[in-house]
Amino acid sequence: MVPLKRRKVANSGTLNAGTHNSAATQPNKFPQVILFLLERKMGASRRAFLSQLGRRKGFQVEELFSKNVTHVICESNTAQEARMWLEAQGAGQAGRHLLDVSWYTESMRDGHPVEILDRHKLQDILENGTSSEVESTKESERFKALKVLTGIFGVGSKTADRWIREGIHNLQQLRDSGQTLNRAQQAGLEHYDDIKQPVSLAEAEAIRGIVGRAVASVSPEAQIVLTGGFRRSEISSFI
């Protein structure tokens, strides 16, 4: 019997190190751009893949966050999450771009850092406390109508959206439209202004007393506790 020759198997640690080094030694085409990919929600595997891709394209992608980083790339992170993460690193946003991963993938596609547009940015909320896109949406007629109609007890966003598409944008238009409303919606429309008013602590205490007496007659050991804003000692709260 002729013995089979054993093939040499490369040490996995050496192979991984070689792969990492080859990616890291690619020439840096854009020295003014130093990238860091935030792993949270992106995941370790995807982060590693995107980092390797960036290095092959000539971008400097850092494994560890440092003060030299100019662009922090996030995926599915909110602005608040990004800010909290930066604060945990003892760093602020000053001098850095907080960007959605879409900017990164578009830059990889084009082979160079693309122009940073509003849709790429996260720092709008961080710097100003507001988002221009959010504020624009809030000022839109559709948003205003949606807010009014969903304020009716028993009306959800799907129903309100259908009414808006039918040309109903306010309470009077709804009353004049002849729409068929269920009992909850009828009551919600009829008592709209009353329901939108905050309940005072005195009123809540009175209601608690009535409910408490009814519950005690059935279950004497039960406790009735006010929740929401009243639990935080606020003098009024919305239902």
Side-chain angles (χ1 to χ4, degrees):
M1 179 181 293
V2 180
L4 297 175
K5 292 184 178 180
R6 292 186 178 181
R7 292 185 298 175
K8 291 184 178 180
V9 179
N11 180 276
S12 59
T14 304
L15 180 61
N16 290 339
T19 302
H20 175 77
N21 290 337
S22 64
T25 55
Q26 293 294 319
N28 181 9
K29 299 179 181 178
F30 316 104
Q32 76 281 10
V33 176
I34 303 176
L35 307 174
F36 177 81
L37 275 61
L38 186 59
E39 185 175 317
R40 288 188 177 183
K41 296 190 178 181
M42 182 181 293
S45 298
R46 177 164 167 77
R47 179 178 185 267
F49 168 77
L50 291 175
S51 296
Q52 295 280 9
L53 177 63
R55 294 182 185 117
R56 287 197 295 269
K57 295 284 187 177
F59 287 82
Q60 182 174 341
V61 184
E62 299 289 275
E63 284 295 326
L64 300 176
F65 180 81
S66 73
K67 64 180 182 180
N68 297 323
V69 169
T70 59
H71 295 59
V72 177
I73 309 301
C74 306
E75 184 169 42
S76 301
N77 296 107
T78 65
Q80 183 179 8
E81 289 171 337
R83 179 178 59 185
M84 291 176 63
W85 185 88
L86 278 174
E87 290 175 351
Q89 312 311 307
Q93 188 193 339
R96 296 187 182 89
H97 298 288
L98 292 181
L99 302 175
D100 181 77
V101 71
S102 59
W103 177 88
Y104 185 85
T105 55
E106 289 172 22
S107 297
M108 298 304 103
R109 179 196 63 200
D110 292 356
H112 61 82
V114 299
E115 179 184 359
I116 297 175
L117 304 176
D118 286 341
R119 59 187 174 85
H120 297 135
K121 297 177 181 178
L122 294 182
Q123 69 263 35
D124 187 17
I125 293 177
L126 300 188
E127 291 178 347
N128 306 320
T130 60
S131 166
S132 57
E133 291 187 16
V134 171
E135 293 303 313
S136 176
T137 299
K138 288 170 66 175
E139 290 302 316
S140 71
E141 291 302 317
R142 184 183 180 282
F143 178 84
K144 292 177 181 178
L146 195 63
K147 186 175 181 180
V148 169
L149 296 176
T150 54
I152 301 171
F153 183 79
V155 176
S157 58
K158 188 174 181 179
T159 299
D161 184 66
R162 174 169 58 81
W163 288 346
I164 291 171
R165 285 187 274 108
E166 294 175 5
I168 300 171
H169 293 81
N170 56 52
L171 301 183
Q172 191 57 51
Q173 288 176 342
L174 178 60
R175 294 187 182 101
D176 297 339
S177 68
Q179 290 283 338
T180 301
L181 307 179
N182 60 36
R183 291 182 62 185
Q185 293 167 347
Q186 290 174 10
L189 180 59
E190 181 180 354
H191 302 287
Y192 183 87
D193 292 332
D194 289 336
I195 293 175
K196 297 296 288 183
Q197 292 295 319
V199 177
S200 69
L201 179 58
E203 291 172 319
E205 290 286 4
I207 294 172
R208 181 174 67 169
I210 296 171
V211 174
R213 288 191 292 272
V215 172
S217 66
V218 179
S219 179
E221 297 180 355
Q223 293 184 341
I224 306 299
V225 179
L226 294 178
T227 60
F230 297 123
R231 195 166 189 173
R232 298 188 294 270
S233 300
E234 296 178 10
I235 61 174
S236 66
S237 183
F238 289 94
I239 295 177

